[in-house]
Amino acid sequence: MKKFKGLLVLSMTAFVLAACGGDTTTEEPDTSTPEESTEENTTEETDASAVEEGQVFTVEELSEYNGQDGNPAYVAVDGVVYDVSDIGAWEGGEHFGGVMAGADNTEKISASPHGTSVLENLPIVGTLE
């Protein structure tokens, strides 16, 4: 009787495994070490390299990028020029409270409820001279 129960359990296990796809192999965990990257990838360094490659704007040149008449909308904050053209809150080059694109808005954005945190994901197009 003991042998019969053992065979029955074994048969049932095989049946269940077959019904579930029959794959009885277990996957080994990946124990390989990831390749070390020689490229630094911090936000600060990424921003710095983007600024180095960007254009240097004077206040007068920046004023042309006011988001009006088909022009892109750029704003400068702490010497970095950001493209806000695709941000709905800057439609037409004007942000809430009368903040205008094409200018150095360091004080206004720093004092705003959201502060400078909203700049983190914006494209950097250059620096302000």
PDB file of all heavy atoms in Angstrom, residues 72-89:
ATOM      1  N   PRO A  72      11.078  80.053 -30.096  1.00  0.00           N
ATOM      2  CA  PRO A  72      11.086  79.184 -28.911  1.00  0.00           C
ATOM      3  C   PRO A  72      11.078  80.032 -27.639  1.00  0.00           C
ATOM      4  O   PRO A  72      11.393  81.221 -27.671  1.00  0.00           O
ATOM      5  CB  PRO A  72      12.397  78.398 -29.031  1.00  0.00           C
ATOM      6  CG  PRO A  72      13.146  78.946 -30.179  1.00  0.00           C
ATOM      7  CD  PRO A  72      12.288  79.948 -30.882  1.00  0.00           C
ATOM      8  N   ALA A  73      10.714  79.394 -26.533  1.00  0.00           N
ATOM      9  CA  ALA A  73      10.681  80.080 -25.242  1.00  0.00           C
ATOM     10  C   ALA A  73      11.823  79.565 -24.369  1.00  0.00           C
ATOM     11  O   ALA A  73      11.863  78.392 -24.023  1.00  0.00           O
ATOM     12  CB  ALA A  73       9.338  79.836 -24.552  1.00  0.00           C
ATOM     13  N   TYR A  74      12.767  80.452 -24.071  1.00  0.00           N
ATOM     14  CA  TYR A  74      13.908  80.115 -23.220  1.00  0.00           C
ATOM     15  C   TYR A  74      13.856  80.979 -21.967  1.00  0.00           C
ATOM     16  O   TYR A  74      13.470  82.150 -22.026  1.00  0.00           O
ATOM     17  CB  TYR A  74      15.238  80.388 -23.927  1.00  0.00           C
ATOM     18  CG  TYR A  74      15.542  79.530 -25.129  1.00  0.00           C
ATOM     19  CD1 TYR A  74      16.651  79.817 -25.918  1.00  0.00           C
ATOM     20  CD2 TYR A  74      14.763  78.429 -25.494  1.00  0.00           C
ATOM     21  CE1 TYR A  74      16.968  79.040 -27.026  1.00  0.00           C
ATOM     22  CE2 TYR A  74      15.072  77.654 -26.597  1.00  0.00           C
ATOM     23  CZ  TYR A  74      16.173  77.966 -27.362  1.00  0.00           C
ATOM     24  OH  TYR A  74      16.490  77.209 -28.458  1.00  0.00           O
ATOM     25  N   VAL A  75      14.281  80.401 -20.852  1.00  0.00           N
ATOM     26  CA  VAL A  75      14.426  81.170 -19.616  1.00  0.00           C
ATOM     27  C   VAL A  75      15.784  80.873 -19.016  1.00  0.00           C
ATOM     28  O   VAL A  75      16.287  79.754 -19.122  1.00  0.00           O
ATOM     29  CB  VAL A  75      13.318  80.861 -18.578  1.00  0.00           C
ATOM     30  CG1 VAL A  75      11.961  81.277 -19.096  1.00  0.00           C
ATOM     31  CG2 VAL A  75      13.318  79.410 -18.182  1.00  0.00           C
ATOM     32  N   ALA A  76      16.369  81.874 -18.399  1.00  0.00           N
ATOM     33  CA  ALA A  76      17.646  81.700 -17.716  1.00  0.00           C
ATOM     34  C   ALA A  76      17.403  81.680 -16.220  1.00  0.00           C
ATOM     35  O   ALA A  76      16.620  82.468 -15.693  1.00  0.00           O
ATOM     36  CB  ALA A  76      18.598  82.839 -18.079  1.00  0.00           C
ATOM     37  N   VAL A  77      18.064  80.727 -15.554  1.00  0.00           N
ATOM     38  CA  VAL A  77      18.011  80.639 -14.096  1.00  0.00           C
ATOM     39  C   VAL A  77      19.419  80.267 -13.625  1.00  0.00           C
ATOM     40  O   VAL A  77      19.984  79.262 -14.072  1.00  0.00           O
ATOM     41  CB  VAL A  77      16.989  79.583 -13.622  1.00  0.00           C
ATOM     42  CG1 VAL A  77      17.023  79.457 -12.105  1.00  0.00           C
ATOM     43  CG2 VAL A  77      15.591  79.921 -14.096  1.00  0.00           C
ATOM     44  N   ASP A  78      19.970  81.086 -12.764  1.00  0.00           N
ATOM     45  CA  ASP A  78      21.318  80.876 -12.237  1.00  0.00           C
ATOM     46  C   ASP A  78      22.351  80.682 -13.344  1.00  0.00           C
ATOM     47  O   ASP A  78      23.238  79.831 -13.262  1.00  0.00           O
ATOM     48  CB  ASP A  78      21.351  79.672 -11.281  1.00  0.00           C
ATOM     49  CG  ASP A  78      20.576  79.926 -10.009  1.00  0.00           C
ATOM     50  OD1 ASP A  78      20.575  81.084  -9.528  1.00  0.00           O
ATOM     51  OD2 ASP A  78      19.959  78.980  -9.486  1.00  0.00           O
ATOM     52  N   GLY A  79      22.211  81.448 -14.421  1.00  0.00           N
ATOM     53  CA  GLY A  79      23.195  81.423 -15.500  1.00  0.00           C
ATOM     54  C   GLY A  79      23.013  80.305 -16.516  1.00  0.00           C
ATOM     55  O   GLY A  79      23.744  80.231 -17.489  1.00  0.00           O
ATOM     56  N   VAL A  80      22.039  79.432 -16.316  1.00  0.00           N
ATOM     57  CA  VAL A  80      21.758  78.334 -17.246  1.00  0.00           C
ATOM     58  C   VAL A  80      20.490  78.676 -18.017  1.00  0.00           C
ATOM     59  O   VAL A  80      19.502  79.122 -17.426  1.00  0.00           O
ATOM     60  CB  VAL A  80      21.579  76.997 -16.488  1.00  0.00           C
ATOM     61  CG1 VAL A  80      21.267  75.864 -17.455  1.00  0.00           C
ATOM     62  CG2 VAL A  80      22.828  76.675 -15.673  1.00  0.00           C
ATOM     63  N   VAL A  81      20.517  78.466 -19.334  1.00  0.00           N
ATOM     64  CA  VAL A  81      19.358  78.777 -20.175  1.00  0.00           C
ATOM     65  C   VAL A  81      18.626  77.481 -20.499  1.00  0.00           C
ATOM     66  O   VAL A  81      19.212  76.535 -21.031  1.00  0.00           O
ATOM     67  CB  VAL A  81      19.782  79.503 -21.471  1.00  0.00           C
ATOM     68  CG1 VAL A  81      18.568  79.808 -22.341  1.00  0.00           C
ATOM     69  CG2 VAL A  81      20.538  80.791 -21.139  1.00  0.00           C
ATOM     70  N   TYR A  82      17.343  77.450 -20.162  1.00  0.00           N
ATOM     71  CA  TYR A  82      16.484  76.277 -20.345  1.00  0.00           C
ATOM     72  C   TYR A  82      15.459  76.542 -21.442  1.00  0.00           C
ATOM     73  O   TYR A  82      14.972  77.661 -21.583  1.00  0.00           O
ATOM     74  CB  TYR A  82      15.739  75.957 -19.044  1.00  0.00           C
ATOM     75  CG  TYR A  82      16.631  75.611 -17.888  1.00  0.00           C
ATOM     76  CD1 TYR A  82      17.089  76.607 -17.019  1.00  0.00           C
ATOM     77  CD2 TYR A  82      17.021  74.300 -17.647  1.00  0.00           C
ATOM     78  CE1 TYR A  82      17.909  76.290 -15.955  1.00  0.00           C
ATOM     79  CE2 TYR A  82      17.830  73.978 -16.581  1.00  0.00           C
ATOM     80  CZ  TYR A  82      18.282  74.982 -15.731  1.00  0.00           C
ATOM     81  OH  TYR A  82      19.092  74.673 -14.673  1.00  0.00           O
ATOM     82  N   ASP A  83      15.093  75.483 -22.166  1.00  0.00           N
ATOM     83  CA  ASP A  83      14.050  75.564 -23.184  1.00  0.00           C
ATOM     84  C   ASP A  83      12.728  75.148 -22.546  1.00  0.00           C
ATOM     85  O   ASP A  83      12.545  73.997 -22.153  1.00  0.00           O
ATOM     86  CB  ASP A  83      14.386  74.641 -24.354  1.00  0.00           C
ATOM     87  CG  ASP A  83      13.408  74.751 -25.514  1.00  0.00           C
ATOM     88  OD1 ASP A  83      12.323  75.345 -25.343  1.00  0.00           O
ATOM     89  OD2 ASP A  83      13.730  74.222 -26.587  1.00  0.00           O
ATOM     90  N   VAL A  84      11.781  76.075 -22.455  1.00  0.00           N
ATOM     91  CA  VAL A  84      10.463  75.796 -21.871  1.00  0.00           C
ATOM     92  C   VAL A  84       9.372  75.795 -22.941  1.00  0.00           C
ATOM     93  O   VAL A  84       8.184  75.829 -22.633  1.00  0.00           O
ATOM     94  CB  VAL A  84      10.120  76.806 -20.741  1.00  0.00           C
ATOM     95  CG1 VAL A  84      11.068  76.654 -19.569  1.00  0.00           C
ATOM     96  CG2 VAL A  84      10.128  78.239 -21.262  1.00  0.00           C
ATOM     97  N   SER A  85       9.788  75.726 -24.209  1.00  0.00           N
ATOM     98  CA  SER A  85       8.853  75.805 -25.335  1.00  0.00           C
ATOM     99  C   SER A  85       7.754  74.755 -25.285  1.00  0.00           C
ATOM    100  O   SER A  85       6.618  75.027 -25.672  1.00  0.00           O
ATOM    101  CB  SER A  85       9.607  75.661 -26.658  1.00  0.00           C
ATOM    102  OG  SER A  85      10.600  76.646 -26.784  1.00  0.00           O
ATOM    103  N   ASP A  86       8.076  73.545 -24.846  1.00  0.00           N
ATOM    104  CA  ASP A  86       7.109  72.448 -24.838  1.00  0.00           C
ATOM    105  C   ASP A  86       6.357  72.303 -23.520  1.00  0.00           C
ATOM    106  O   ASP A  86       5.679  71.313 -23.294  1.00  0.00           O
ATOM    107  CB  ASP A  86       7.809  71.128 -25.183  1.00  0.00           C
ATOM    108  CG  ASP A  86       8.345  71.119 -26.606  1.00  0.00           C
ATOM    109  OD1 ASP A  86       7.749  71.802 -27.473  1.00  0.00           O
ATOM    110  OD2 ASP A  86       9.357  70.445 -26.857  1.00  0.00           O
ATOM    111  N   ILE A  87       6.478  73.277 -22.647  1.00  0.00           N
ATOM    112  CA  ILE A  87       5.805  73.241 -21.360  1.00  0.00           C
ATOM    113  C   ILE A  87       4.512  74.062 -21.457  1.00  0.00           C
ATOM    114  O   ILE A  87       4.553  75.267 -21.736  1.00  0.00           O
ATOM    115  CB  ILE A  87       6.716  73.826 -20.239  1.00  0.00           C
ATOM    116  CG1 ILE A  87       8.076  73.142 -20.232  1.00  0.00           C
ATOM    117  CG2 ILE A  87       6.033  73.734 -18.878  1.00  0.00           C
ATOM    118  CD1 ILE A  87       8.049  71.665 -20.005  1.00  0.00           C
ATOM    119  N   GLY A  88       3.396  73.403 -21.258  1.00  0.00           N
ATOM    120  CA  GLY A  88       2.091  74.064 -21.384  1.00  0.00           C
ATOM    121  C   GLY A  88       1.952  75.307 -20.534  1.00  0.00           C
ATOM    122  O   GLY A  88       1.295  76.278 -20.929  1.00  0.00           O
ATOM    123  N   ALA A  89       2.572  75.298 -19.362  1.00  0.00           N
ATOM    124  CA  ALA A  89       2.462  76.450 -18.459  1.00  0.00           C
ATOM    125  C   ALA A  89       3.236  77.663 -18.979  1.00  0.00           C
ATOM    126  O   ALA A  89       3.131  78.745 -18.414  1.00  0.00           O
ATOM    127  CB  ALA A  89       2.969  76.068 -17.069  1.00  0.00           C
TER     128      ALA A  89
END
